[in-house]
Amino acid sequence: MIPPLPPPSAVVDGITYALRMAIRQGEPGQLEPTNRAIWDALWFRFFLIFANSIVMLGMDHAWLIPLLGVIALVDTLSYPVISHFVLQLTGLTGRFPLFILATTWIGNLRVIILFLMLMILGSDSLGGNFLLLVVAIWMIWAAWSVATRSLGQGGFAGAGMVILMMVVEVMNASVIIGMIHPLVANTP
């Protein structure tokens, strides 16, 4: 059974947890990897992706909202499913709850920071783009650091999981661009 939406306190705790890990002031185990905590992170991820899609398209394309919901659901669940499979193949299934909780909250923090920066700075300024690049590199490093620490393995294992995450996100983005943009371009 899918648990209910996360309470605001769980979202604040999750973002604080991710921020502390991103600046290396916290450890992945500081938030108990319970089923409820993992679902809170995944629910929040779903709503971030869904809201981000709506804001980017604008409400004049409201007829796309059901499709955006399906895409947000696929985007939210694809990496956890694939990473579970990979960890199962490598014998690290026992590390999955801590790993997916930590990496999902780091991913949520990345989406929040980059989205806010795009909204504030826009995408036209050279300085803004440079700042976005710096933050994106920092968030990749934070994801690698969290993956390495939550898996309890060396840096290569963490790097492999981050590369896998990036590949999954690029594939999801490609589907979104391939499906949504032609639909929006062809509407009057």
Side-chain angles (χ1 to χ4, degrees), residues 11-121:
V11 172
V12 170
D13 290 346
I15 293 169
T16 304
Y17 165 71
L19 189 55
R20 291 180 53 78
M21 287 188 302
I23 60 173
R24 298 280 298 204
Q25 297 295 313
E27 290 296 321
Q30 286 180 326
L31 188 60
E32 182 73 27
T34 63
N35 284 341
R36 177 60 201 220
I38 293 168
W39 274 108
D40 288 347
L42 291 173
W43 265 119
F44 189 65
R45 175 68 173 215
F46 171 79
F47 284 111
L48 277 178
I49 301 302
F50 187 64
N52 188 13
S53 300
I54 290 173
V55 169
M56 292 301 193
L57 282 177
M59 286 310 294
D60 53 333
H61 299 291
W63 59 274
L64 284 172
I65 288 178
L67 180 59
L68 294 175
V70 170
I71 290 171
L73 182 65
V74 169
D75 189 83
T76 300
L77 296 177
S78 57
Y79 183 67
V81 169
I82 293 169
S83 64
H84 185 270
F85 177 72
V86 169
L87 292 179
Q88 190 174 25
L89 287 177
T90 58
L92 294 171
T93 308
R95 304 295 288 184
F96 177 75
L98 180 61
F99 168 78
I100 203 62
L101 179 66
T103 57
T104 301
W105 277 116
I106 281 290
N108 291 346
L109 179 65
R110 177 179 42 88
V111 171
I112 290 169
I113 290 173
L114 293 177
F115 181 73
L116 288 175
M117 288 180 66
L118 274 172
M119 295 302 289
I120 293 168
L121 301 173

Side-chain angles (χ1 to χ4, degrees), residues 120-174:
I120 293 168
L121 301 173
S123 62
D124 296 338
S125 72
L126 182 60
N129 286 338
F130 178 74
L131 187 58
L132 279 170
L133 177 64
V134 169
V135 171
I137 290 170
W138 168 55
M139 293 309 299
I140 290 170
W141 172 82
W144 169 79
S145 174
V146 166
T148 301
R149 291 185 288 154
S150 64
L151 289 174
Q153 301 294 306
F156 286 115
M161 295 308 286
V162 170
I163 290 169
L164 176 64
M165 177 176 51
M166 293 169 78
V167 166
V168 169
E169 288 184 2
V170 166
M171 288 172 43
N172 287 337
S174 298

